[in-house]
Amino acid sequence: MKITTKLQMLMTVAAVVPVMVIIFMDQTVAAGAGVAALVGLLGPFVAAHWLVTKDLGDIRQLCKLVKEGKYRVHTALPNEASDNDEENEFVSVMRDMNWMAREIKLREGQLNEAIDDLDRAQQELLEQKQALELANKRLNEMAMTDPLTGLSNRRHFFDHLEQEICRANRIERPLSLFILDIDYFKQVNDTYGHQAGDGVLKAIAYILRNRLRRSDMVARIGGEEFAILLSDTDLLHTLELAELIRQNIKEYLFQTCDGKSINITCSIGAFSGDRPDYTKAELLYKYADKALYDAKNAGRDQVAYYDCAKLGQEHAELLEQLGQRGVTH
């Protein structure tokens, strides 16, 4: 019932009661006065409760539940009840608020589902990113690594050589390089097969890794040729290490696939540069390679070095050739 209808009913009662009191005043003056006083005292409280207080309490309770996230349906929803022009306004408000509470609950569920979907998508993207980073890391390792021995390959070695040369020239520290070549390696392949030859290369890679510091670099730069770069190392210590490695290889028992032992020797050429004009990539490698050539010509199975003090005119000619090719010093 509308509030206006309730007010009309109360006004009618308020008008009828005094009339009735006047009509029956002679007989019931005392009773009429009592009734009038009672109506005057209790009427406002009854009217307030009937018209406002009860319905406002229900609305307040609904608002409290919505605030606490407890969405409950108290009355029929708008689309579940027929329109009624005589419906109490407070009831209509409560029903609409109840409908909004239900919509909030529905949207909350949809939002939670969307958040879950986003979390799953984010996790998938993270996993794909990690897989991509791992794949890129593997590709970089493959691009820098010799697949047979697991050592650095020729390209990675020369990239690292350029960086170490810049560092050595900047801090004015010596930089040494020696090149190791397996003696008569072709005969190993021809006699025992390429599989045995591969085993020899892997074993030598193992020996080199276990004799070098973490700051040093070893690479396979050719079929049976290895290069070892030593940072902050002078010629004396370079020759000592090269000789130790030569002896280790000579004493090592290499095995073929059928269990036969193979004796292997190697030749090593070393060079150490402690001046900027010596520590250039092409010169450093060229002088170590010339020392390796001398070791082979002297009978193999030995270490040779290129002496900077005896370079003389040859060193000047090499610098001139490099200058003509665009390399400055």
Side-chain angles (χ1 to χ4, degrees):
M1 183 184 299
K2 284 189 174 183
I3 296 175
T4 53
T5 303
K6 293 182 178 182
L7 287 173
Q8 289 173 358
M9 293 174 63
L10 286 175
M11 291 173 65
T12 301
V13 171
V16 169
V17 169
V19 172
M20 296 297 295
V21 169
I22 294 171
I23 293 173
F24 298 99
M25 184 175 296
D26 293 338
Q27 293 84 4
T28 57
V29 174
V35 171
L38 183 62
V39 171
L41 292 173
L42 300 180
F45 296 100
V46 174
H49 179 76
W50 187 35
L51 294 176
V52 178
T53 306
K54 181 179 181 302
D55 293 332
L56 281 180
D58 292 340
I59 293 174
R60 185 177 180 184
Q61 182 64 23
L62 176 60
C63 293
K64 182 180 179 182
L65 292 173
V66 172
K67 182 179 179 181
E68 294 174 353
K70 301 174 182 178
Y71 309 118
R72 296 173 55 189
V73 177
H74 293 275
T75 60
L77 299 179
N79 59 348
E80 295 175 354
S82 58
D83 294 334
N84 184 1
D85 293 337
E86 296 300 320
E87 185 177 52
N88 183 287
E89 290 87 348
F90 284 131
V91 174
S92 297
V93 170
M94 188 169 63
R95 188 175 61 180
D96 291 342
M97 291 182 66
N98 185 50
W99 177 84
M100 287 189 291
R102 183 172 180 177
E103 286 298 306
I104 292 172
K105 185 66 175 179
L106 177 63
R107 298 295 184 268
E108 184 182 55
Q110 294 173 344
L111 179 60
N112 288 334
E113 290 179 2
I115 291 174
D116 291 341
D117 291 341
L118 287 175
D119 289 340
R120 285 192 292 270
Q122 184 179 23
Q123 183 62 31
E124 291 176 1
L125 287 175
L126 180 61
E127 292 174 356
Q128 292 175 3
K129 178 184 177 182
Q130 292 173 344
L132 183 60
E133 290 175 348
L134 180 60
N136 287 335
K137 182 179 179 181
R138 290 176 178 174
L139 286 174
N140 288 333
E141 290 175 351
M142 291 173 62
M144 297 185 300
T145 305
D146 173 57
L148 177 64
T149 62
L151 301 176
S152 296
N153 58 19
R154 184 183 184 90
R155 176 182 176 182
H156 186 212
F157 174 79
F158 280 98
D159 288 343
H160 186 73
L161 176 61
E162 292 285 356
Q163 296 175 9
E164 283 298 301
I165 285 175
C166 292
R167 190 186 72 87
N169 290 336
R170 184 176 65 253
I171 64 176
E172 298 182 354
R173 295 289 297 170
L175 183 65
S176 298
L177 166 70
F178 64 83
I179 303 173
L180 182 153
D181 188 86
I182 302 173
D183 296 332
Y184 307 111
F185 184 70
K186 185 177 183 299
Q187 293 182 9
V188 175
N189 285 329
D190 293 342
T191 304
Y192 302 103
H194 288 279
Q195 192 171 3
D198 290 346
V200 170
L201 294 173
K202 292 178 182 179
I204 289 180
Y206 173 79
I207 294 172
L208 293 175
R209 272 196 296 261
N210 284 278
R211 283 298 178 185
L212 297 177
R213 302 169 300 182
R214 295 178 64 88
S215 59
D216 300 330
M217 184 179 190
V218 56
R220 182 188 176 199
I221 56 176
E224 67 271 18
E225 194 168 275
F226 299 83
I228 296 88
L229 185 63
L230 308 173
S231 303
D232 303 331
T233 307
D234 57 22
L235 181 60
L236 178 60
H237 289 90
T238 300
L239 295 177
E240 289 177 352
L241 177 62
E243 178 61 23
L244 178 62
I245 290 174
R246 185 195 68 80
Q247 292 177 3
N248 289 160
I249 292 175
K250 185 174 184 178
E251 296 169 359
Y252 191 90
L253 292 179
F254 296 87
Q255 300 290 324
T256 64
C257 299
D258 55 2
K260 294 181 180 179
S261 298
I262 309 175
N263 294 320
I264 299 292
T265 61
C266 68
S267 301
I268 298 176
F271 178 78
S272 180
D274 55 1
R275 287 165 36 188
D277 53 350
Y278 291 162
T279 51
K280 295 182 180 298
E282 292 192 51
L283 285 177
L284 197 65
Y285 188 82
K286 192 175 191 70
Y287 291 146
D289 192 54
K290 288 175 69 68
L292 174 63
Y293 182 79
D294 292 342
K296 286 182 173 292
N297 283 343
R300 303 175 189 265
D301 187 24
Q302 58 186 285
V303 177
Y305 72 95
Y306 205 86
D307 189 355
C308 295
K310 299 179 181 179
L311 291 178
Q313 183 62 31
E314 181 181 5
H315 176 66
E317 292 174 356
L318 284 172
L319 288 177
E320 183 179 356
Q321 293 174 8
L322 292 174
Q324 293 175 354
R325 292 161 55 185
V327 179
T328 59
H329 63 277

